[in-house]
Amino acid sequence: MGFSPDVTERLARARADLRMGVPVVFDNGLVILAAETLDSTRLTALRSLPGDPVLVITGWRAQTLKARAYDGDVARIRLPADAALPWIRAVADPADDLRNPMKGPLQSLREGSAAMHRAAIALCKAARLLPAALTIEVADAAAFAAAQNLTLIPADAMDNDALSPLHPIISARLPLEVSDAGRLHIFRPDDGAEEHYAVEIGHPDRAKPVLSRLHSACFTGDLLGSLKCDCGPQLRGALAQMGAEGAGVLLYLNQEGRGIGLANKMRAYSLQDQGFDTVDANHRLGFEDDERDFRIGADILKRLGFDAVRLLTNNPAKVDRMQACGIRVCDRVPLKVGENRHNHDYLATKAAKSGHLL
């Protein structure tokens, strides 16, 4: 009492545990290991437990593997008795799909509820891992977690879709190439996830719609100058336009790769080299088209005192999501920069499949 971690803090521990290959336990009896970080020692330990291990993948990944997804968005695969670590990783990771397409037949479960398995997938996604989990049920979750020194979390912890509260940590003057009057604001969420930033240019009038951009972090484009996307030119173009007007707010949200993380984004790039477009690559990995949470941007804008924006974007979905979050979008300002021969198909896919106005 007093020092005991609450649910939010236990979830942060659980995410870290999964990334290190350590199991976590839901209090309804489900033991979870991330397929990506599973090792042979813990696979052997899991097989020593009474019960039938189940490998959980998303409906998108099941579609790629031609497995039955009786539960719609997830498929529960009975783990074959002779399934070794390479087989499990091959089901989770599409890296060898074209070289080794036969991983089945995969026997999908259709009886029972998939609610706790769906929560296991959500936890893997939150940990920025491939959305695939090896699970098994135990009789006494609390006793098992205590005996094995594992993190125990409520089974319904992943049902809470509320945005983790963001807190302003610090803001400081930051002269920029586009404006001497720059200021950087740092916001940190309660749940231990990545911090997010707001770059304020000039002294925007809070009573008027502010020129604003929600920019998702792109290490390859923003920092390395990658030609596979238009993110870097959009970042610099947005800042330049704000500098030219003398005022604006750029929200730099740490949601790399449309919210799947840099490692999974590179996996998607590898699939694109095999001929899949950006959306299909995400699906083969088991992710949705877009896993980002734009409520973060809306919350930061409100905390900075803005309730209306002129939004720099080519994505109508951002306009809709901002409006749904209580931010009035008075104008959509196009930001058409950065097309080249390397990203032409990528931009065409964004227009055809994600509705971007290019």
Side-chain angles (χ1 to χ4, degrees):
M1 185 175 182
F3 290 109
S4 298
D6 62 17
V7 173
T8 296
E9 292 159 344
R10 286 186 181 276
L11 280 173
R13 284 186 182 180
R15 293 195 301 270
D17 287 349
L18 288 182
R19 289 178 65 84
M20 294 185 292
V22 179
V24 299
V25 185
F26 281 150
D27 63 6
N28 62 2
L30 192 71
V31 180
I32 305 159
L33 295 107
E36 177 180 342
T37 54
L38 179 68
D39 61 27
S40 56
T41 299
R42 288 197 166 103
L43 175 58
T44 299
L46 180 131
R47 286 193 181 279
S48 71
L49 298 174
D52 298 319
V54 173
L55 180 58
V56 191
I57 57 177
T58 69
W60 284 119
R61 184 69 184 135
Q63 181 176 308
T64 294
L65 298 173
K66 297 180 172 54
R68 298 276 188 178
Y70 293 112
D71 304 300
D73 57 341
V74 297
R76 295 169 290 147
I77 310 297
R78 191 186 303 278
L79 191 69
D82 60 349
L85 189 59
W87 186 91
I88 295 170
R89 286 182 175 164
V91 171
D93 189 342
D96 291 327
D97 279 356
L98 299 188
R99 288 193 296 270
N100 180 26
M102 294 304 294
K103 301 180 180 71
L106 302 178
Q107 184 181 356
S108 299
L109 302 177
R110 60 190 310 171
E111 67 277 1
S113 170
M116 56 186 178
H117 298 96
R118 191 172 286 113
I121 289 293
L123 190 56
C124 287
K125 284 185 177 182
R128 296 290 189 262
L129 298 171
L130 286 168
L134 187 60
T135 68
I136 195 166
E137 294 184 52
V138 295
D140 188 335
F144 180 82
Q148 300 293 328
N149 197 23
L150 300 176
T151 301
L152 181 71
I153 54 178
D156 61 356
M158 300 307 297
D159 294 343
N160 183 6
D161 191 41
L163 181 67
S164 179
L166 287 164
H167 301 288
I169 302 302
I170 187 66
S171 65
R173 189 176 66 86
L174 183 67
L176 302 171
E177 289 183 355
V178 299
S179 173
D180 285 344
R183 194 167 191 84
L184 182 62
H185 306 264
I186 309 297
F187 292 84
R188 181 179 297 159
D190 270 355
D191 64 2
E194 297 92 343
E195 294 169 347
H196 304 282
Y197 322 127
V199 182
E200 184 173 359
I201 302 296
H203 304 282
D205 186 344
R206 266 61 175 172
K208 297 179 180 178
V210 63
L211 183 64
S212 181
R213 172 162 174 78
L214 276 67
H215 188 88
S216 298
C218 178
F219 170 76
T220 51
D222 298 343
L223 188 63
L224 303 182
S226 167
L227 298 177
K228 283 182 68 70
C229 64
D230 57 344
C231 300
Q234 285 194 324
L235 172 64
R236 290 180 284 277
L239 287 172
Q241 190 163 337
M242 292 173 189
E245 292 196 12
V249 175
L250 184 136
L251 306 178
Y252 197 87
L253 308 179
N254 276 309
Q255 302 189 103
E256 180 87 39
R258 296 183 188 172
I260 65 177
L262 182 58
N264 288 321
K265 176 175 138 178
M266 289 300 98
R267 289 183 169 116
Y269 275 15
S270 180
L271 292 173
Q272 289 171 36
D273 288 341
Q274 297 175 27
F276 299 102
D277 67 37
T278 181
V279 172
D280 289 339
N282 269 28
H283 290 172
R284 290 186 78 88
L285 287 167
F287 292 103
E288 299 295 331
D289 302 16
D290 194 335
E291 298 273 356
R292 290 175 292 183
D293 190 343
F294 290 112
R295 295 177 300 176
I296 297 169
D299 191 36
I300 292 175
L301 282 168
K302 292 174 185 176
R303 288 181 176 274
L304 290 175
F306 300 102
D307 61 8
V309 297
R310 295 163 51 226
L311 195 61
L312 277 158
T313 185
N314 302 322
N315 184 0
K318 282 187 181 180
V319 175
D320 295 340
R321 293 183 193 182
M322 285 296 97
Q323 305 252 71
C325 292
I327 297 294
R328 186 162 49 94
V329 180
C330 301
D331 188 21
R332 183 189 71 82
V333 183
L335 189 60
K336 299 179 182 179
V337 293
E339 182 172 359
N340 62 71
R341 64 186 181 89
H342 296 281
N343 66 21
H344 175 78
D345 290 342
Y346 162 79
L347 295 176
T349 298
K350 287 212 295 187
K353 293 190 174 182
S354 301
H356 287 228
L357 301 176
L358 301 173

